[in-house]
Amino acid sequence: MKRTDEELSAYFKEFEHSIKWNTSKNNSIEFIEDEFINEANDEGANRVLFILVSPQGEILASSDLKAWKGITKKPKILLKFVNKEIYNTLYFSTERGDDVRIYSKPFDGTNTLIIGKSLTKEQLLLEIYCVVFISVFGFLLILGSVFGWLIARHAMSGVNRVTETAIAIENGDFTRKVPIGREGEEIKHLVIAFNSMIEKIQSLIFELKEVSDNIAHDLRTPLTRIRGLLDVTINSNPCSEDYQEMAEGIAEECDRLVQIINTMLEITQTDSGVLAMPKHNVDIIGIVKKAYDLFLPLAEDKSIDFQFSVPAQQIILNCDELRLQRVISNILDNAIKYNQSNGKIFLSVHQEANNIIIIVKDTGCGISEGDQRHIFERFYRCDSSRSKPGNGLGLSLAKSIIKAHNGSITVESSLNSGSEFRIILPYAS
Ligand code: ADP
């Protein structure tokens, strides 16, 4: 439409120009009419029309209007264009039934030039365009819907598998896994995430079961002992010396129980971050040295060669001094407890990059590979150590405390040749 308007405006300029250059025939209506007819013939008399109207709406000159019966029958419709600079074009319908774009503008100071152009071609083009567009669009819409439905169904089959497995798990079957299909990356990620969640839940349930079994076992032993002592106490003479001993034994067992329960609580609170850990800047070498001094006599009692190596200068660390002492004490206690007479223990501290490394190495009974995976779990005790005193909570607490200092504790060991416990504490903690 814009192009048509530009074409009409170009005709107007062309006529204006032609009249100006032919000043001798300037006022000759015949000359203008000839120009109109020639121009209309060039374009096709059915396609364009040129009319020069007087200020009264009278047709002064025009191209062949035979094909434009709408104008010849009702010339009054031209009146609305008279003396008007209408750059905006108007429409009217011809008898042929096509639309005509009209452009009018005062021409020579008195009269008005009206130029019209049939829009048949453009309308035809538009109709073809509409048919093509609607059919292509319709086809694509149907194709898109079918494809979309297929893709959605394909993708949903993965989601359905996850749902089925979730329902199976809800019914107690924790062994179920969602098979990985070929529905695409997103579904694959969902399935992998879901499966790893099931694995995590499975291992949590397993751990929970193991811990509760261990708790039951570890609480039952002192309780059975208390019960046995009580039985003997009830049946013995209250004034006897044994009576006093038995009462003391009961008190000891009770203390042991309380200690187990307190340690369990401490581990849980440390892990969950509930326990306030007062941290101060302390010399880590001082802490390790204190532990060495404390355990040296115990090691000597067992004829263990206890060696110690630390840097000469202080290493200041922001930490909970008492809890860190407990961690080191626990590991040293184990190193002595699970060592043989005449064995060796080597305690050392050094710095590596931004970490402080504390190492406790012993020549004790060692820990099998299978047990190494579990010794940091609550109540876990290797079968070989069951004869020794202990409750299986020391390393678990040590791990919680070290974790609360953003550090880590690891073990390297082989059966019958000894173990090496390594504590890594980052400086920034
Ligand atoms: P416990 O009170 O039994 O010593 P811990 O949590 O301190 O509990 O240790 C868990 C288990 O790890 C011990 O029962 C023991 O079997 C094993 N263990 C720990 N330290 C050593 C070590 N230095 N040598 C051999 N076994 C060890």
Side-chain angles (χ1 to χ4, degrees):
M1 204 55 82
K2 200 179 158 205
R3 223 175 44 218
T4 309
D5 287 352
E6 280 167 7
E7 232 176 279
L8 295 175
S9 140
Y11 276 131
F12 185 90
K13 281 182 192 141
E14 204 181 299
F15 280 119
E16 223 173 22
H17 192 68
S18 155
I19 301 298
K20 257 186 208 161
W21 284 103
N22 294 284
T23 39
S24 55
K25 303 167 191 172
N26 203 4
N27 288 326
S28 160
I29 293 294
E30 288 78 31
F31 168 73
I32 294 173
E33 194 153 57
D34 281 351
E35 288 282 294
F36 282 175
I37 290 166
N38 289 339
E39 195 67 47
N41 284 345
D42 285 352
E43 288 291 329
N46 288 349
R47 298 261 308 128
V48 286
L49 69 87
F50 303 100
I51 306 172
L52 188 68
V53 287
S54 70
Q56 291 74 37
E58 186 190 336
I59 298 177
L60 300 174
S62 74
S63 55
D64 186 359
L65 292 179
K66 254 184 265 151
W68 306 87
K69 289 204 176 84
I71 294 171
T72 47
K73 277 188 186 163
K74 290 181 203 159
K76 277 189 182 169
I77 59 169
L78 297 176
L79 274 173
K80 60 180 168 193
F81 299 112
V82 169
N83 262 338
K84 281 193 187 121
E85 267 189 52
I86 301 176
Y87 282 93
N88 285 330
T89 47
L90 304 171
Y91 297 99
F92 66 84
S93 210
T94 65
E95 279 193 346
R96 293 191 311 245
D98 54 353
D99 286 346
V100 178
R101 190 80 160 161
I102 293 289
Y103 178 57
S104 74
K105 193 179 173 189
F107 182 59
D108 50 8
T110 329
N111 304 314
T112 307
L113 177 57
I114 296 169
I115 307 169
K117 188 177 178 215
S118 159
L119 293 174
T120 322
K121 259 190 187 173
E122 285 76 6
Q123 274 171 333
L124 198 69
L125 188 76
L126 210 65
E127 268 167 32
I128 293 170
Y129 177 77
C130 278
V131 170
V132 170
F133 177 77
I134 288 171
S135 32
V136 169
F137 183 76
F139 175 71
L140 287 179
L141 194 73
I142 294 167
L143 200 74
S145 310
V146 172
F147 263 103
W149 182 76
L150 285 175
I151 290 168
R153 212 175 70 130
H154 188 58
M156 286 319 278
S157 69
V159 177
N160 285 344
R161 282 207 313 278
V162 174
T163 313
E164 272 167 31
T165 313
I167 292 169
I169 291 168
E170 194 191 0
N171 293 332
D173 183 3
F174 279 94
T175 55
R176 280 286 290 272
K177 290 266 156 60
V178 187
I180 294 178
R182 284 190 285 153
E183 293 89 1
E185 282 302 296
E186 287 76 13
I187 298 292
K188 193 176 159 193
H189 288 156
L190 172 74
V191 169
I192 291 172
F194 189 82
N195 282 345
S196 79
M197 185 186 79
I198 301 170
E199 263 169 39
K200 185 92 193 156
I201 293 173
Q202 239 176 322
S203 83
L204 278 177
I205 291 175
F206 179 76
E207 258 173 49
L208 210 66
K209 194 176 163 304
E210 209 174 26
V211 168
S212 43
D213 284 353
N214 287 335
I215 293 175
H217 177 265
D218 276 70
L219 293 186
R220 199 174 43 205
T221 315
L223 280 174
T224 317
R225 251 183 267 143
I226 291 171
R227 171 79 215 175
L229 283 169
L230 279 174
D231 277 344
V232 180
T233 316
I234 290 163
N235 297 322
S236 60
N237 179 1
C239 307
S240 74
E241 228 177 77
D242 291 348
Y243 193 89
Q244 177 73 23
E245 256 176 45
M246 278 182 268
E248 276 168 14
I250 290 169
E252 255 173 47
E253 289 300 335
C254 285
D255 286 348
R256 221 175 86 76
L257 264 179
V258 171
Q259 199 197 339
I260 289 176
I261 291 165
N262 282 345
T263 314
M264 264 165 55
L265 274 176
E266 199 174 342
I267 295 170
T268 316
Q269 287 173 345
T270 312
D271 280 346
S272 62
V274 175
L275 197 75
M277 220 167 260
K279 289 183 184 166
H280 305 284
N281 285 342
V282 254
D283 174 24
I284 197 86
I285 306 292
I287 298 179
V288 174
K289 188 145 187 358
K290 252 190 229 166
Y292 172 77
D293 292 340
L294 197 72
F295 282 89
L296 186 61
L298 295 176
E300 280 170 354
D301 281 353
K302 220 174 160 183
S303 309
I304 291 172
D305 176 14
F306 191 2
Q307 290 175 22
F308 176 61
S309 155
V310 289
Q313 77 279 15
Q314 290 188 336
I315 305 177
I316 304 296
L317 181 77
N318 189 257
C319 61
D320 182 334
E321 185 178 356
L322 284 179
R323 290 212 163 78
L324 221 54
Q325 262 171 4
R326 277 182 75 180
V327 172
I328 299 165
S329 301
N330 183 269
I331 292 168
L332 286 177
D333 185 48
N334 285 348
I336 296 172
K337 190 162 64 177
Y338 301 113
N339 215 326
Q340 66 231 358
S341 330
N342 302 318
K344 279 183 185 167
I345 297 175
F346 184 67
L347 169 65
S348 72
V349 183
H350 69 272
Q351 277 174 265
E352 232 175 62
N354 282 337
N355 294 318
I356 297 167
I357 322 274
I358 304 169
I359 296 174
V360 179
K361 203 171 169 180
D362 65 61
T363 54
C365 60
I367 306 160
S368 74
E369 240 177 74
D371 283 335
Q372 282 173 39
R373 279 198 293 276
H374 300 290
I375 53 168
F376 295 100
E377 289 165 15
R378 273 168 243 195
F379 292 111
Y380 192 87
R381 305 198 73 205
C382 307
D383 287 339
S384 54
S385 7
R386 291 207 177 268
S387 54
K388 306 260 168 44
N391 53 29
L393 287 174
L395 286 180
S396 181
L397 178 65
K399 191 175 177 181
S400 300
I401 293 173
I402 296 298
K403 208 171 141 203
H405 284 79
N406 300 321
S408 65
I409 174 167
T410 53
V411 64
E412 262 177 44
S413 179
S414 53
L415 266 183
N416 304 321
S417 37
S419 315
E420 181 180 307
F421 283 84
R422 180 176 281 254
I423 299 170
I424 302 174
L425 290 165
Y427 256 118
S429 63

